[in-house]
Amino acid sequence: MTENTMGRGQAPAAPIPMTLLQKEILQDIGRRHTTSQQLAKRIKLLLMANQGQSNSHIKRELDISLNTVKSWRRRWEADYDNLVSYESYLENQEVSPLDLRKRLISTLKDSPRSGAPKTITLAQEKQIIALACEPPADYQVEMADWTHEMLAKVAIAKGIVASISSRQVGRILKKQPSSAS
């Protein structure tokens, strides 16, 4: 059987394109002690992909998922032409080598997460936590202990927030470490 007909998945992915300067900068960033492990692993992944290593080999070598390997290969390939274009400004001295380094690092950062933006500020969370530390009787609530529902109602009534669910109050309080007495 030939290599492509072994019945074990698809043919190896082609090496990703990378200029010599991009490769040198990535290797330098990857060697620095101040580079985060996450960034260093992404750099290793791209350098291995540039050398023609298979996705499954990279996956095993770096102990990451196959989807992660494919995702970073796709992101690099999608941004490659922009990176080459940006690098050409270096020759005209329109950008500095440091600018190119920063541009490469920005390519390797996480994309913004999907989902609704945060609507409750940290200051509002702190006010809700402070409210939970006060006795309910101070707010004419006839209860020995706060419920999440009553905290939500009082927070709205006090104008801390325009609206909040009892579940959100619970999530805010759960994030706080409990004090041992």
Side-chain angles (χ1 to χ4, degrees):
M1 283 185 144
T2 65
E3 191 175 319
N4 288 341
T5 60
M6 291 182 78
R8 298 183 65 199
Q10 302 171 339
I16 62 169
M18 189 178 292
T19 68
L20 183 59
L21 182 57
Q22 291 167 354
K23 189 174 189 174
E24 289 171 357
I25 292 172
L26 289 176
Q27 287 171 333
D28 180 58
I29 295 168
R31 278 192 298 265
R32 292 177 181 254
H33 295 290
T34 55
T35 301
S36 71
Q37 289 183 7
Q38 182 183 52
L39 183 59
K41 194 173 267 195
R42 290 173 183 172
I43 289 170
K44 284 180 194 170
L45 181 157
L46 292 173
L47 292 171
M48 291 172 77
N50 174 253
Q51 293 170 352
Q53 302 285 335
S54 72
N55 290 345
S56 51
H57 175 76
I58 296 169
K59 165 192 167 297
R60 283 189 306 275
E61 193 72 26
L62 300 179
D63 193 28
I64 54 178
S65 75
L66 190 58
N67 284 341
T68 300
V69 176
K70 290 178 179 180
S71 174
W72 282 105
R73 286 180 69 108
R74 272 192 309 270
R75 280 187 59 179
W76 178 266
E77 289 170 341
D79 204 23
Y80 179 71
D81 289 337
N82 293 331
L83 289 169
V84 170
S85 175
Y86 195 86
E87 189 176 325
S88 71
Y89 295 125
L90 190 62
E91 295 164 10
N92 304 334
Q93 297 181 344
E94 295 176 48
V95 299
S96 70
L98 181 61
D99 291 331
L100 180 58
R101 176 184 292 274
K102 289 178 182 176
R103 178 65 177 80
L104 285 169
I105 290 172
S106 73
T107 299
L108 300 176
K109 292 207 171 180
D110 285 333
S111 297
R113 299 287 181 204
S114 61
K118 192 170 181 172
T119 57
I120 297 175
T121 66
L122 186 57
Q124 289 170 317
E125 286 185 11
K126 288 182 177 187
Q127 287 179 299
I128 291 169
I129 293 164
L131 178 64
C133 294
E134 297 175 21
D138 290 358
Y139 298 92
Q140 290 75 43
V141 176
E142 301 297 322
M143 304 175 97
D145 294 313
W146 286 107
T147 64
H148 295 162
E149 184 178 357
M150 284 310 299
L151 276 168
K153 287 180 181 179
V154 173
I156 293 167
K158 279 190 69 178
I160 296 173
V161 289
S163 68
I164 189 168
S165 70
S166 59
R167 288 189 59 175
Q168 183 64 24
V169 168
R171 284 190 288 269
I172 290 168
L173 297 176
K174 187 176 182 179
K175 286 195 292 189
Q176 291 307 115
S178 60
S179 58
S181 342

